[in-house]
Amino acid sequence: TSYIPNHSGGSVTRGADDATNTGTIDADNDFTLFIETKPNADVDVGKFFASSGNLGYLDTDVNSQLRLRFASSNYKSTEDLTGGFKFLLRKDGTNLKMYVNGTLEHTITALPTGTQNISFEEGRHKQFLIFPEALPDADCITITSL
């Protein structure tokens, strides 16, 4: 919330949080990237994170579907995102897996490489975590379950 109570009985509103470079992923190795966020109410099409390398970005498209844009392909989820969502991207030595709200949505055989600088974009972000390992599938499902 942006409401901040104070001792004079009034309230103070804080400025928006702004994270331009949230973290770096070494995509030559295994990793797990997790984000819990909610779309902004006033934005129909929004980007939640973007990388400066070839990992692409996560956004909602014109049909309000969650989309991972990676390696010139769109990987979409048909979940209702209005109440927020938990998204996880897991890379191991053989594939990239996309989990949304407790479900494995896509297994992608193209793999990112190199250093990826991940930046927040729009949305109301609650959590953003980067693990330097590929978490087990069961953990990915548990972490993303609502």
Side-chain angles (χ1 to χ4, degrees), residues 25-32 91-93 112-114 131-134:
I25 295 174
D26 176 7
D28 289 326
N29 294 305
D30 295 349
F31 67 83
T32 303
K91 184 222 177 205
D92 63 20
T113 58
F131 301 91
E133 60 191 312

Side-chain angles (χ1 to χ4, degrees), residues 49-120:
F49 76 76
S51 75
S52 61
N54 65 359
L55 185 57
Y57 56 86
L58 180 70
D59 70 356
T60 49
D61 67 10
V62 293
N63 298 315
S64 298
Q65 292 179 308
L66 185 64
R67 169 180 68 166
L68 174 67
R69 177 77 175 152
F70 169 67
S72 300
S73 295
N74 292 316
Y75 301 94
K76 295 184 180 184
S77 171
T78 57
E79 296 273 333
D80 176 7
L81 307 173
T82 55
F85 62 90
K86 293 181 179 182
F87 170 87
L88 187 140
L89 195 60
R90 174 192 177 271
K91 184 222 177 205
D92 63 20
T94 58
N95 54 47
L96 191 63
K97 292 183 178 181
M98 174 180 159
Y99 296 83
V100 180
N101 294 344
T103 302
L104 172 61
E105 294 280 341
H106 296 284
T107 299
I108 306 163
T109 56
L111 297 176
T113 58
T115 300
Q116 307 291 316
N117 292 314
I118 302 295
S119 302
F120 276 135

Side-chain angles (χ1 to χ4, degrees), residues 132-143:
E133 60 191 312
L135 296 180
D137 289 327
D139 290 347
C140 296
I141 291 168
T142 299
I143 289 170

